[in-house]
Amino acid sequence: MVAGVLAVSLTACGGDDDGSDEPGGGTDGTASTVTLPRLDGQSLEVAAVWTGTEQAHFKKVLAEFEKRTGAKVAFVPAQDPIVNFLGSKIAGGAPPDVALLPQPGAVKQAVEKGWAKPLGAEAQAELKKNYSQGWQDIGSVDGTPYGVYYKAANKSLIWYNAQVFENAGASEPATWQDLLSTARTVYDSGVTPFSVGGADGWTLTDWFENIYLSQAGPEKYDRLAAHEIKWTDPSVKDALTTLAEIWGKPEYLAGGPDGALQTEFPASVTQTFTGGDQPEAGMVYEGDFVQVNIGETEAEVGTDAKVFPFPAVGDSPPVVSGGDAAVILEDSRAAQALATFLASPDAAGVQAKLGGYLSPNRNVPNSAYPNEVQRKMARALVDAGDDFRFDMSDQAPQAFGGTPGKGEWKALQDFLKNPKDIAGAQRQLEAGAAAAYGN
C-alpha cells in the first residue's frame, strides 16, 4: 500500500496541495512547538560526516538552537566511518557532545561501547509526540531510547533529465522490465542511460537493497539484514542477476564500469543534469537528497530534473529508508536540550525549507518543504508510518555495511567491475558478513 501511495505521490507532481496543516515554530515570528531552557554560557560540539550544502543547512538549525537557548554550538566535521572517528576523539579525551550517526548499527555499537547516553524525559516526550513507533524503535537499543532520527531519506527513487526523456520519447517506468526498455530507448537516442557513483560503495548497496526488497520480499529482507540467511542464498543470486542486467552493460554506464568506479556520488548527480539535453547520462539512482546536488547545476527540480519511484522488480515497488540519528555522548543539560530540539518540528522545519532534506517527524508541516516534488516525498515518507524497511547495510555492523574499501561496499564495487561473477560476489559478501556478525 505504501509503495502505491509513493508511486502516486511522485508521478502526480502537479496539484493544489499546499500542505498547510500544522504551524511551524521559530524566531521568525511563528509559534514555537517546543520549550527549551536558557543555556547562556554553555557550549556544545556536534559531530557529523555532512559536508558542503548539507553541512551549511544543518548549521542554520544549530544557529536557531543558539538563538533560542543562548548556548554556543560548534560543528565538528567527522570522517567516515564516524564510529572510528569518535573512537579516536574519545580515546583522546575530547568527544563531541552529540554525534549524528548514519546507521542503526553504529547507534548500537556506541551503546555497547558505553559511549552513548540515554535520552532524557523531555527528548523522549518529543519523540513520542512526533515520531511513529517504528522510528522510535530504530533509535532504541534493548528498549532504551538513545537516538533521535533527525534526518531521513527516501532511497527508492530514480531521477532523470526531463529533456533527455522528451527527446528520446521515453516514459517513466513502473516495473523493472519497463526500466530496461526505457534505458534502451535513452541509449538509442544517443545518451548513456545511467550515471553510477561507484566510488562511494554505499550507493551500490542501495541499488542492491531496492532490488532485493522488491524481488525477495520484506521477510527475507529482514532475515538477510540480520544475517539469519547467508549471502550465498539463492535469493541473493537472483537479485545480483537482476542487477547485472544494468551493471553488466558497459554501454549503459557513464564512463563504463571503470568510469563509474571513479565517480563519487555528487558527480554522478551533476553529470546527469549538466550539458542540457546531452549530459553524460540520462538517469541517476539515489534518494531524495539528490536535490542538494541538482541545486549545484542550472537544472530545476520538477521541470528539468524529475523523479519516479524505483520500479517494481517483484510484486510491489520497494520502499527503503535511511536516516541519521542524533546521539548524546557527553550528557549535560545542553546536550539533552539539543536532542529535544532535534526531535521537534521546529528544528526540522528550519532545514526543510532549505531543500534536499526529509524528516520522519510527522508534525513537520508539509508546507515547510520548498517545492511540490519534495512535499509529496515528505508526505509519502510520513504516510508510510511503520510500514517501511530501513537501509539494510545501515543495519549491519559497520565493518560490513559502512566502511569504505571493506565488506559489502567493496564486494559490490568488485561486482560492478565484474558482474558476470555472481557466485564469486556471493562468496565475498558472505565472508565479510560472517566475519562482521560473528556467525
Side-chain angles (χ1 to χ4, degrees):
M1 179 185 71
V2 174
V5 169
L6 182 62
V8 171
S9 295
L10 294 181
T11 53
C13 291
D16 58 1
D17 175 20
D18 65 2
S20 56
D21 37 20
E22 294 89 357
T27 56
D28 58 0
T30 56
S32 174
T33 68
V34 61
T35 301
L36 299 173
R38 291 301 303 177
L39 301 167
D40 301 277
Q42 299 189 39
S43 61
L44 287 169
E45 287 189 343
V46 180
V49 297
W50 300 332
T51 59
T53 304
E54 192 171 34
Q55 181 187 125
H57 287 180
F58 182 61
K59 284 182 175 178
K60 293 186 178 182
V61 177
L62 298 180
E64 177 68 18
F65 178 77
E66 289 181 326
K67 290 178 185 177
R68 295 196 187 194
T69 64
K72 297 298 181 184
V73 186
F75 181 88
V76 178
Q79 287 78 49
D80 219 355
I82 192 170
V83 168
N84 294 354
F85 171 83
L86 294 176
S88 64
K89 298 288 284 185
I90 290 169
D97 299 274
V98 176
L100 276 296
L101 302 183
Q103 296 104 6
V107 176
K108 184 178 181 183
Q109 196 171 349
V111 173
E112 291 172 345
K113 290 178 177 290
W115 299 347
K117 307 301 187 291
L119 297 174
E122 292 82 3
Q124 289 191 43
E126 282 298 309
L127 278 178
K128 290 176 182 178
K129 182 169 63 175
N130 299 317
Y131 287 77
S132 73
Q133 190 61 49
W135 285 103
Q136 294 180 53
D137 291 345
I138 291 171
S140 299
V141 177
D142 296 330
T144 299
Y146 286 92
V148 171
Y149 270 89
Y150 167 72
K151 185 177 185 291
N154 176 344
K155 289 193 167 188
S156 297
L157 304 171
I158 295 180
W159 297 81
Y160 66 95
N161 185 309
Q163 192 61 56
V164 168
F165 268 45
E166 182 177 339
N167 291 350
S171 57
E172 295 184 358
T175 68
W176 183 258
Q177 288 304 314
D178 291 343
L179 179 63
L180 297 179
S181 297
T182 296
R184 170 54 63 178
T185 300
V186 170
Y187 177 76
D188 289 344
S189 76
V191 177
T192 303
F194 294 100
S195 176
V196 176
D200 294 314
W202 59 268
T203 67
L204 307 185
T205 69
D206 292 348
W207 269 97
F208 171 83
E209 288 158 8
N210 276 275
I211 290 172
Y212 190 85
L213 176 58
S214 184
Q215 190 171 47
E219 182 180 348
K220 280 210 165 182
Y221 183 96
D222 292 342
R223 294 183 66 199
L224 185 62
H227 200 224
E228 293 174 359
I229 58 175
K230 295 185 176 182
W231 285 80
T232 50
D233 189 84
S235 63
V236 176
K237 177 182 178 181
D238 291 344
L240 291 174
T241 300
T242 298
L243 188 51
E245 292 177 339
I246 289 177
W247 288 9
K249 292 183 179 295
E251 68 275 17
Y252 275 18
L253 309 178
D258 290 342
L261 287 166
Q262 296 175 38
T263 302
E264 295 181 343
F265 163 68
S268 73
V269 178
T270 55
Q271 70 184 15
T272 305
F273 299 103
T274 302
D277 63 354
Q278 292 295 315
E280 293 189 44
M283 290 176 278
V284 61
Y285 157 71
E286 252 314 333
D288 58 276
F289 44 84
V290 162
Q291 292 179 94
V292 172
N293 304 96
I294 293 174
E296 297 170 3
T297 73
E298 294 182 357
E300 291 188 10
V301 172
T303 53
D304 309 305
K306 295 186 178 181
V307 63
F308 56 84
F310 198 98
V313 184
D315 294 335
S316 302
V319 180
V320 177
S321 294
D324 298 88
V327 173
I328 295 171
L329 304 180
E330 287 287 291
D331 201 1
S332 67
R333 189 164 176 246
Q336 290 286 353
L338 180 59
T340 301
F341 181 58
L342 294 178
S344 74
D346 298 13
V350 172
Q351 192 157 349
K353 67 180 66 174
L354 301 173
Y357 166 86
L358 289 181
S359 172
N361 188 316
R362 62 192 174 204
N363 289 320
V364 175
N366 207 234
S367 56
Y369 294 95
N371 57 62
E372 190 64 19
V373 171
Q374 191 147 2
R375 284 193 289 271
K376 291 184 180 296
M377 287 192 293
R379 179 60 64 200
L381 180 69
V382 170
D383 286 349
D386 296 331
D387 192 8
F388 64 92
R389 287 299 183 274
F390 204 89
D391 184 298
M392 185 187 295
S393 63
D394 286 354
Q395 297 182 58
Q398 192 153 331
F400 179 66
T403 302
K406 294 183 179 180
E408 189 180 357
W409 292 17
K410 178 63 162 60
L412 289 177
Q413 286 174 323
D414 290 346
F415 182 63
L416 176 60
K417 187 184 302 182
N418 183 18
K420 293 182 179 179
D421 189 13
I422 292 172
Q426 286 187 269
R427 288 193 297 270
Q428 186 178 354
L429 286 161
E430 176 55 29
Y437 284 88
N439 60 355

